[in-house]
Amino acid sequence: MINTAINISKVSESKFTSIDLDNVTFGTIYTDHMFFCDFKDGEWQQPQITPYQPLQLDPSARVFHYGQAAFEGMKAYKDEHGDAWIFRPEENWKRINFSARRLAMPEVPEEVFMNGLKTLLEMDKQWIVPGKGNSLYIRPFLFATEAGVSAAPAAEYKFMIICTPVQAYYKGGEVKVKISDYFSRAANGGVGATKAAGNYAASFYPTNKVKEEGYQQIIWTNSTHEYLEEAGTMNVFFRIGDKLLTAPTDDRILDGVTRKSLIQLAKDEGIEVEVRKVSVKEVTEAARKGELKEVFGAGTAAVVVPITGVGYQDEHFDLPKLDNPYSTMLKEKLLNIQYNITEDKYNWTQKI
């Protein structure tokens, strides 16, 4: 039986008033408290909330050697009345457990995840700054802590939640992407559909390579480089004519919460959405004919990022500037739900 009563230790004085929130770089300042719950002796221990502080780990902790680590990304928003909201948290709980199963880690009980999340947000509620573009980014994560360098799943783990106040992920400027014709992010039967920490480590080198060519992100392709999959750390949408295309989720592609929300919103606006394999040939030929109207990324951190140009091998295609792009319309509709500006008929949001 899990003891879900949270043992709470509060800071003596909040650092909130000393932070210049108008000049915070994404993910560099953290709130006053953090949540954690340890797994050992085959069961979850009593959850705790303490002041945000460094961890002490054995150098042989298995996370360092065999990469048993997964994370989630969520956001909390504050409306004009001062009420705080979170967006589809059950999807993040389900997905971290999907990742945990694939990496042979114990699943986090729903009551541990949800109670920890909501209690932590209530304690650090002042860090959720009102105003569109402002939010509190929430990072739940799970990793192996047992000491030992034998190649086997660990017997001990730590589940944690930390929070950081953020503004827009991509501030101004153009976002251009390069379609990969060599690197692949994931493979069938692999861990591409999980938020395993190693997925992101492996993406940095190819991304740095395209940055040298003047692009901000890479569009990943499958192992044969025929089909388009994700854009950097985001799901990606393509508008050809008036039709919206995006790749299906499978072993390789993350089941993004923002992605599935945008698909629903687009369909409800009468936009034709096709969730299917999208080939490099189809998109590049559409670009050459002037039929590729929009490309945009979707994810929790970035929400919706319009892409201004796409590169492939030695070609580059600048996308047209539209008066009423799907990306802007869908982002506005999603943000209006998240900030409690319009009615949430989908029951996606939960009040803190």
Side-chain angles (χ1 to χ4, degrees):
M1 185 73 177
I2 303 169
N3 182 358
T4 57
I6 302 173
N7 185 4
I8 295 175
S9 175
K10 295 183 179 180
V11 296
S12 56
E13 183 179 354
S14 174
K15 61 190 176 188
F16 177 75
T17 54
S18 66
I19 304 299
D20 180 6
L21 292 174
D22 291 329
N23 294 289
V24 171
T25 303
F26 188 97
T28 57
I29 301 296
Y30 295 88
T31 62
D32 294 317
H33 300 94
M34 64 186 193
F35 171 87
F36 68 90
C37 188
D38 291 318
F39 181 90
K40 62 181 181 179
D41 300 325
E43 59 185 13
W44 289 98
Q45 307 300 302
Q46 184 175 14
Q48 299 189 55
I49 290 178
T50 66
Y52 187 94
Q53 59 190 283
L55 299 177
Q56 185 171 345
L57 291 173
D58 193 287
S60 68
R62 291 179 192 258
V63 65
F64 300 135
H65 303 273
Y66 303 109
Q68 278 186 291
F71 67 92
E72 279 297 317
M74 313 169 63
K75 279 183 177 177
Y77 309 84
K78 190 171 283 184
D79 66 22
E80 60 183 8
H81 307 294
D83 293 324
W85 303 82
I86 47 177
F87 185 73
R88 306 187 76 171
E90 71 286 345
E91 296 293 336
N92 298 97
W93 167 67
K94 291 175 184 176
R95 197 169 60 184
I96 200 168
N97 282 337
F98 172 79
S99 299
R101 288 192 298 273
R102 183 62 181 83
L103 299 175
M105 298 192 291
E107 295 183 37
V108 180
E110 184 175 11
E111 58 269 31
V112 170
F113 186 100
M114 293 299 180
N115 292 348
L117 172 67
K118 293 177 180 180
T119 305
L120 180 63
L121 292 178
E122 183 61 41
M123 289 177 63
D124 286 347
K125 191 175 179 180
Q126 66 179 333
W127 290 83
I128 310 172
V129 180
K132 263 193 181 180
N134 297 320
S135 58
L136 189 69
Y137 185 81
I138 306 161
R139 172 53 60 89
F141 57 111
L142 174 66
F143 59 98
T145 56
E146 184 190 14
V149 293
S150 59
E156 297 178 4
Y157 298 85
K158 187 182 288 287
F159 171 66
M160 300 190 68
I161 305 174
I162 57 176
C163 305
T164 176
V166 295
Q167 295 178 317
Y169 193 73
Y170 290 99
K171 283 190 174 182
E174 295 187 343
V175 176
K176 296 184 292 183
V177 297
K178 182 75 179 286
I179 296 171
S180 174
D181 61 355
Y182 179 76
F183 294 104
S184 292
R185 177 181 172 274
N188 291 339
V191 295
T194 73
K195 287 187 74 70
N199 286 351
Y200 297 80
S203 75
F204 296 152
Y205 174 76
T207 303
N208 285 343
K209 296 293 287 183
V210 301
K211 285 181 177 178
E212 293 172 0
E213 300 178 47
Y215 295 92
Q216 283 70 48
Q217 281 290 357
I218 191 169
I219 292 188
W220 303 106
T221 50
N222 68 329
S223 59
T224 60
H225 309 295
E226 294 175 87
Y227 296 101
L228 299 154
E229 299 198 326
E230 294 189 14
T233 57
M234 304 175 289
N235 294 115
V236 63
F237 290 82
F238 305 89
R239 177 183 173 184
I240 297 178
D242 291 329
K243 189 181 299 182
L244 204 54
L245 311 177
T246 192
T249 55
D250 54 22
D251 289 344
R252 304 184 309 279
I253 298 174
L254 191 72
D255 187 12
V257 179
T258 303
R259 170 191 175 276
K260 66 177 67 177
S261 303
L262 293 177
I263 291 171
Q264 183 65 60
L265 292 171
K267 287 181 176 179
D268 289 353
E269 286 299 308
I271 296 171
E272 184 178 357
V273 182
E274 291 187 1
V275 180
R276 60 168 174 80
K277 288 184 176 182
V278 182
S279 72
V280 174
K281 182 179 180 181
E282 178 181 11
V283 168
T284 53
E285 285 187 353
R288 293 185 193 105
K289 295 175 183 177
E291 296 172 355
L292 181 64
K293 302 299 184 184
E294 292 183 72
V295 180
F296 56 91
T300 297
V303 189
V304 174
V305 178
I307 290 165
T308 59
V310 178
Y312 178 63
Q313 295 180 342
D314 295 328
E315 292 183 277
H316 179 81
F317 310 102
D318 287 318
L319 296 173
K321 293 182 180 180
L322 306 178
D323 291 333
N324 297 295
Y326 288 172
S327 57
T328 302
M329 180 269 290
L330 293 172
K331 180 178 182 178
E332 191 72 8
K333 286 188 173 294
L334 183 59
L335 290 177
N336 283 345
I337 292 172
Q338 292 172 332
Y339 285 94
N340 193 34
I341 295 170
T342 57
E343 178 190 1
D344 174 18
K345 66 180 183 180
Y346 307 100
N347 294 317
W348 285 343
T349 57
Q350 292 185 27
K351 190 175 179 180
I352 299 299

